[in-house]
Amino acid sequence: MNRAVLKQRSSDVSAAFPGRARGFSLVELMVAAAISLVLVAALTTLFTNMSSSNRELAKTYSQIENARFAMQFLENDLVHAGYWGGFIPTFDDLAFQDPITDDPSSWPPSTNPDYRDPCRPFANWGTLAGYTDFMLGVPLQVYRNDLSDIDDCTFITNRVADTDVLVVRHLETCVPGDANCDADNANRLYMQVSNCEDEIDVGDAYVLANDPNEFVLRELDCAPPSGGTTAAKRRFVQNIYYIQDLDPNGPLEPALVRSRFDFLPSGTLEQQTPEVLVEGIERFRVELGLDGESETGDA
């Protein structure tokens, strides 16, 4: 009886495992490894391509944003070029009846390169007759390849070749001390424009100075400063833009930089060391045009 039971159990095991138990062969392992390597290579290539595409898209978006920021900086400055408070040069005043004497294009000084140099320190402005009037009459200046006229702009270094240098002049639209406007600073250059007809008639149309004692021009009532209201003064702004190669022999990209007219710690009023505004700007060209149409579209 015991033999029969043992035999039956042996038969059950044989029925449950008809063949000999075995693992993967070497060939099967090699095929599986090869398929895995192909899949890994494909996934790696896909990831690399996606990463490269993302980097290129990021660079493109960055360039677009850099260009937008650069245009915004320039637009905000250019829109105010030639704003001198209530002062209008006579050559640009349509109501002026007398012979015009301050047209910059007809001045003999316009042929003198010293008058076209925007980087003269303020202390030297008075050494050239009419230099201030020339600057007020030409609120925009553009220099291209020939920079011989701006010898005093020694801060212009590593300028990218075949890019322009732009000079923008105007007054601040706010009065010192007002909201969002810098406080009055005796070291800075301000311009005060008279609204008193008596002063304008004798040639005292404006004062451009950094001495608080010189700002005595009056408002419409022409009342003396002691009993009336003096005209508002505004800060003089002169910005110089160009493209500077930040690292000619390294990985840094060129950038749009700006030099502002301000005072040095010593108190000297002149153009300052350029500050970086927007990186990644490689080209800068300025085209000046004349708007010959009215708001209605008539010539």
Side-chain angles (χ1 to χ4, degrees), residues 78-195:
L78 288 171
V79 74
H80 295 115
Y83 169 71
W84 306 120
F87 174 73
I88 302 177
T90 57
F91 76 89
D92 203 24
D93 187 354
L94 299 179
F96 192 74
Q97 301 292 327
D98 298 330
I100 294 175
T101 60
D102 62 354
D103 182 0
S105 63
S106 63
W107 286 1
S110 65
T111 61
N112 185 338
D114 290 340
Y115 284 81
R116 299 193 296 273
D117 188 346
C119 295
R120 295 177 64 85
F122 177 67
N124 297 339
W125 286 15
T127 60
L128 287 176
Y131 179 74
T132 301
D133 290 332
F134 184 84
M135 294 179 67
L136 299 182
V138 187
L140 288 177
Q141 288 178 270
V142 181
Y143 303 87
R144 191 146 291 174
N145 294 322
D146 184 8
L147 302 184
S148 59
D149 289 348
I150 52 178
D151 293 337
D152 286 332
C153 300
T154 55
F155 58 85
I156 299 181
T157 57
N158 296 332
R159 181 179 67 94
V160 175
D162 298 323
T163 58
D164 294 347
V165 176
L166 174 65
V167 182
V168 183
R169 301 188 186 96
H170 58 83
L171 296 184
E172 286 279 12
T173 57
C174 58
V175 176
D178 286 353
N180 300 321
C181 198
D182 292 339
D184 193 359
N185 190 317
N187 290 317
R188 284 178 169 158
L189 184 63
Y190 294 94
M191 183 173 177
Q192 184 186 45
V193 178
S194 174
N195 291 313

Side-chain angles (χ1 to χ4, degrees), residues 7-27:
K7 185 175 182 181
Q8 181 64 35
R9 289 179 178 175
S10 178
S11 299
D12 292 341
V13 172
S14 299
F17 302 97
R20 181 182 178 184
R22 63 187 182 88
F24 290 106
S25 67
L26 180 60
V27 174

Side-chain angles (χ1 to χ4, degrees), residues 60-90:
T60 301
Y61 291 145
S62 177
Q63 290 175 345
I64 293 174
E65 285 298 303
N66 288 345
R68 187 177 67 83
F69 287 147
M71 293 298 295
Q72 184 176 1
F73 272 114
L74 293 172
E75 181 181 359
N76 291 340
D77 210 10
L78 288 171
V79 74
H80 295 115
Y83 169 71
W84 306 120
F87 174 73
I88 302 177
T90 57

Side-chain angles (χ1 to χ4, degrees), residues 199-214:
E199 292 174 335
I200 296 174
D201 288 342
V202 297
D204 295 330
Y206 69 87
V207 169
L208 189 65
N210 64 332
D211 184 356
N213 296 320
E214 295 191 32

